[in-house]
Amino acid sequence: MNLVQQYVHLDLDAVAAVTPEQIDAYLCLTRWVRGEVLSPDMQAWTRPGSEPLPDHLQALRTVPARRARLIWPGYVSSPIRRRRDYAARVEELLLTLGLFERRLASAVLSDIAAGPGV
């Protein structure tokens, strides 16, 4: 499924309804490690240091590093608080998590909205 189709399948009301706390809980539950604060409104999350990339992203090792970072930057960023572009930031996070987990962004959204214990 391409990125346009991923966006079409997202319920924008559900995207806007997800809270930063729900996102944090999901990232902790799925073993992301809280990283540095990127800006007053964004938090970086990384994978544990010794964990290899998933199989479907392993091919990035053969691509020059600059190009590989355009596809997978090595971290995800989540909104810390709501602001005007909150829904766009959540959509970006959902697409990145979907890429990493090899799932639809809408499935990731459903898990985040469902809360802890997913």
Side-chain angles (χ1 to χ4, degrees):
M1 181 171 280
N2 67 36
L3 288 178
V4 173
Q5 290 172 312
Q6 290 264 11
Y7 274 115
V8 169
H9 286 86
L10 281 177
D11 176 353
L12 297 181
D13 292 331
V15 169
V18 168
T19 66
E21 294 78 20
Q22 287 175 300
I23 294 169
D24 284 359
Y26 177 80
L27 291 170
C28 288
L29 183 70
T30 54
R31 300 182 325 129
W32 289 87
V33 177
R34 188 183 308 269
E36 64 185 77
V37 174
L38 300 173
S39 72
D41 298 314
M42 297 298 289
Q43 172 79 51
W45 293 79
T46 60
R47 296 303 292 176
S50 61
E51 182 180 79
L53 284 173
D55 290 341
H56 65 282
L57 294 177
Q58 287 291 331
L60 291 178
R61 292 179 183 218
T62 64
V63 177
R66 189 171 139 231
R67 287 187 184 165
R69 278 192 301 277
L70 293 173
I71 299 167
W72 175 247
Y75 66 91
V76 296
S77 55
S78 69
I80 296 171
R81 63 182 66 90
R82 292 179 182 274
R83 60 178 225 196
R84 187 176 6 174
D85 62 347
Y86 179 77
R89 300 291 181 126
V90 173
E91 287 175 350
E92 200 174 289
L93 172 66
L94 293 171
L95 289 169
T96 307
L97 287 172
L99 169 67
F100 186 83
E101 297 175 9
R102 202 172 196 173
R103 300 173 57 207
L104 293 175
S106 58
V108 176
L109 174 61
S110 293
D111 287 351
I112 291 172
V118 178

